Amino acid sequence: MQYQFFQLSLSSMKEKKFWNALGNLLKYLADQLNLRTTPMPILGDNYYSTGSFMYFRDLSSFAPRLKTEYYFIAVDYLDPPLFWPLVAHEIAHCWLSETRYVDEACALEVAQEIKKETEESLENKIEEVLCDLVATKIFGSAYPWAYITRLWLHLNGKNFDTYPSHSFRIECMCSQLENMGMHPAAEKIRALRDERVKEGWQREVIWPLKDYLIGLSDEFPSIVDREHYVKSLSIVKRIFTSPPEDPALLFLTCWNHLQLSNLINLEKVLPRYTSVILKVLRG
């Protein structure tokens, strides 16, 4: 299985400009999160993280004959790079695997009470929310905008038992945005959520853990804050001529530009976002 992921990553290299840009983004995120190793990129058919694999044998030029950890992170190749803030959620799975945050949250008395009353996977649900919070602290409002835009047609659908409801996840993201001083974005995202999703976020079984999980995120690495948000709004008109070189600010500015432009036909402008994002990420 592990070798198959290597093969997937290698086969992705044929799309060189996308593969290199995604690899550089993952390197940037790994450095910000101080991961033990940089994830290898896969241009796949969905967003996912494989977690950590241990190798003890030589794998060509990728690994010495030593015990080595590898992470693999895939994006949906059909998605334009504008949606790549979603990889922050996937790399957060890798980061959380190097911490005890999920275990500590699951050990809470209220969490144990929830576990007694439901057959749903408490640990998985908590980890998904924490990954959303990590991603929001990395990319600010760019992450929830990418999330809600890509999943718009599915927001009101039924979730698997291993995932929290979309309504609850978006509520947690918006609370995080408010803590980061991005109140206008949080208000707009909530309004769109409420327009699409009829079920309230408090119907989610882990909703009593919301405040604890939000508070826990105070200890998470943070890349953008209100200052970055304000700066992003001030440079949106220059996004295609003088884009910011910092990846987090780049995606934040792209999504702010998109929201302020009120574009009806997103498909027509997507190539312009793709061009500027690949240009910055490829260096």
Side-chain angles (χ1 to χ4, degrees):
M1 177 64 74
Q2 299 97 313
Y3 185 69
Q4 290 176 1
F5 286 117
F6 266 112
Q7 292 296 101
L8 283 172
S9 183
L10 286 172
S11 66
S12 301
M13 291 179 66
K14 63 185 178 182
E15 301 293 344
K16 188 173 181 180
K17 64 178 182 179
F18 287 92
W19 195 85
N20 287 342
L22 178 59
N24 288 339
L25 176 60
L26 292 177
K27 174 67 166 61
Y28 166 83
L29 295 174
D31 289 345
Q32 297 295 324
L33 294 173
N34 198 28
L35 282 186
R36 288 194 287 259
T37 186
T38 298
M40 298 187 65
I42 296 175
L43 301 175
D45 59 0
N46 206 342
Y47 292 84
Y48 62 84
S49 169
T50 63
S52 175
F53 289 127
M54 309 296 288
Y55 284 81
F56 298 90
R57 58 193 174 91
D58 181 38
L59 289 173
S60 185
S61 61
F62 285 99
R65 298 175 186 270
L66 295 172
K67 178 179 177 181
T68 309
E69 285 188 284
Y70 289 95
Y71 295 122
F72 295 86
I73 289 180
V75 300
D76 188 335
Y77 180 58
L78 296 179
D79 276 357
L82 182 65
F83 289 92
W84 283 0
L86 296 174
V87 304
H89 175 98
E90 304 306 331
I91 203 170
H93 281 294
C94 303
W95 180 73
L96 285 171
S97 73
E98 299 179 3
T99 74
R100 292 191 53 79
Y101 287 119
V102 176
D103 292 337
E104 291 171 1
C106 289
L108 292 174
E109 182 176 350
V110 63
Q112 290 301 308
E113 290 300 318
I114 294 172
K115 191 172 184 178
K116 293 177 183 177
E117 299 174 3
T118 179
E119 295 180 357
E120 298 180 15
S121 176
L122 179 69
E123 181 176 355
N124 286 353
K125 283 174 172 278
I126 287 174
E127 182 167 341
E128 289 299 321
V129 172
L130 291 181
C131 286
D132 288 335
L133 297 177
V134 172
T136 303
K137 294 198 73 170
I138 289 174
F139 284 121
S141 56
Y143 174 72
W145 276 127
Y147 179 97
I148 199 172
T149 303
R150 188 177 190 273
L151 296 175
W152 180 253
L153 295 178
H154 307 285
L155 290 181
N156 208 28
K158 178 176 173 56
N159 286 76
F160 293 107
D161 290 343
T162 54
Y163 288 86
S165 69
H166 291 303
S167 182
F168 180 72
R169 292 176 68 175
I170 294 169
E171 180 63 28
C172 290
M173 295 178 212
C174 289
S175 294
Q176 183 66 71
L177 288 177
E178 289 172 337
N179 288 346
M180 298 166 70
M182 304 182 191
H183 294 78
E187 182 179 355
K188 192 170 184 180
I189 291 169
R190 274 201 186 99
L192 279 173
R193 186 268 315 270
D194 294 343
E195 172 187 326
R196 180 66 177 170
V197 182
K198 303 307 178 186
E199 186 174 83
W201 61 268
Q202 289 180 316
R203 296 289 299 275
E204 169 57 50
V205 296
I206 67 167
W207 81 264
L209 293 170
K210 174 181 173 288
D211 290 343
Y212 173 82
L213 297 176
I214 297 294
L216 195 61
S217 70
D218 290 342
E219 302 176 15
F220 296 173
S222 180
I223 298 181
V224 300
D225 54 22
R226 175 170 173 76
E227 183 178 340
H228 292 90
Y229 181 70
V230 172
K231 180 177 181 180
S232 169
L233 292 173
S234 71
I235 61 176
V236 288
K237 293 182 179 180
R238 305 196 303 271
I239 185 60
F240 298 124
T241 56
S242 302
E245 295 183 1
D246 178 76
L249 186 58
L250 171 68
F251 283 106
L252 185 59
T253 306
C254 283
W255 278 99
N256 277 336
H257 178 272
L258 179 60
Q259 299 309 314
L260 293 173
S261 299
N262 291 318
L263 298 171
I264 297 176
N265 193 340
L266 179 59
E267 292 184 0
K268 288 185 177 180
V269 76
L270 279 177
R272 298 190 70 191
Y273 289 122
T274 295
S275 178
V276 72
I277 291 170
L278 291 181
K279 179 181 179 181
V280 172
L281 293 182
R282 292 173 66 193

